[in-house]
Amino acid sequence: MEKDLFHTIVTVRGLTENLLNQIPEQIVDIIPDGFNNNIRWNFGHIAVIQEKLAFEALGEELGLPYEFVTYFAAGTSPNNWDKSVPSLDDIHSVLTEQKSRIQSKLKGRLNEALPSTLRINRLISLTTVAQTLQFSLFHEGMHIETIKNIQRLIKLKV
């Protein structure tokens, strides 16, 4: 199971990185009607939530720049950003590095219990490292689709 899960993390992250490489910089900060965030926020958010699910849920330190949490955590908004928001290159570097760090730090630990149950909502409770990583794949997929939807909407208006 471990080999398969890590393979899926690398595969899904590869899709995310490939999408990031295809999006023109001039559209990443547009927030279309009906959306709360932009493309840059969604990519940064993927990195922050993956980090929180993989490491913070275990009580370990986050391995990404502090400003990522400031700009991209749940509940944040591009409407409150200043001019020092991380660049796409910064986000890409974090996304790329994160997948290998997850594998190296969590190898052999998938069945490890979290210090306390992580409740996502009233229906989802996670208790092991494997469960947090599996949920992170679902989360990343949702945001990949959101990014594609924002991109489509922007293209329709241009």
Side-chain angles (χ1 to χ4, degrees), residues 2-18 50 95-104 133 136-137 140 144:
E2 180 175 86
K3 183 179 175 186
D4 292 337
L5 181 54
F6 288 147
H7 173 77
T8 304
I9 288 170
V10 169
T11 301
V12 170
R13 184 52 57 87
L15 295 171
T16 301
E17 292 173 81
N18 188 48
Q50 178 86 338
L95 289 169
T96 300
E97 180 274 336
Q98 191 177 54
K99 65 183 180 242
S100 59
R101 187 166 38 83
I102 286 170
Q103 287 183 79
S104 66
L133 294 177
S136 76
L137 293 167
E140 188 160 346
I144 289 171

Side-chain angles (χ1 to χ4, degrees), residues 2-44:
E2 180 175 86
K3 183 179 175 186
D4 292 337
L5 181 54
F6 288 147
H7 173 77
T8 304
I9 288 170
V10 169
T11 301
V12 170
R13 184 52 57 87
L15 295 171
T16 301
E17 292 173 81
N18 188 48
L19 181 59
L20 181 110
N21 289 334
Q22 293 176 20
I23 294 182
E25 179 112 27
Q26 62 266 28
I27 71 166
V28 298
D29 293 316
I30 297 170
I31 303 173
D33 291 339
F35 288 84
N36 296 321
N37 295 300
N38 58 33
I39 290 171
R40 183 187 311 264
W41 182 90
N42 277 276
F43 280 119

Side-chain angles (χ1 to χ4, degrees), residues 13 45-58 60-64 69 94 97-99 101-102 105 136:
R13 184 52 57 87
H45 181 71
I46 288 169
V48 168
I49 297 306
Q50 178 86 338
E51 194 75 16
K52 286 179 169 278
L53 289 167
F55 299 109
E56 188 176 77
L58 275 167
E60 297 184 7
E61 286 188 34
L62 301 181
L64 46 72
V69 176
V94 166
E97 180 274 336
Q98 191 177 54
K99 65 183 180 242
R101 187 166 38 83
I102 286 170
K105 290 193 170 226
S136 76

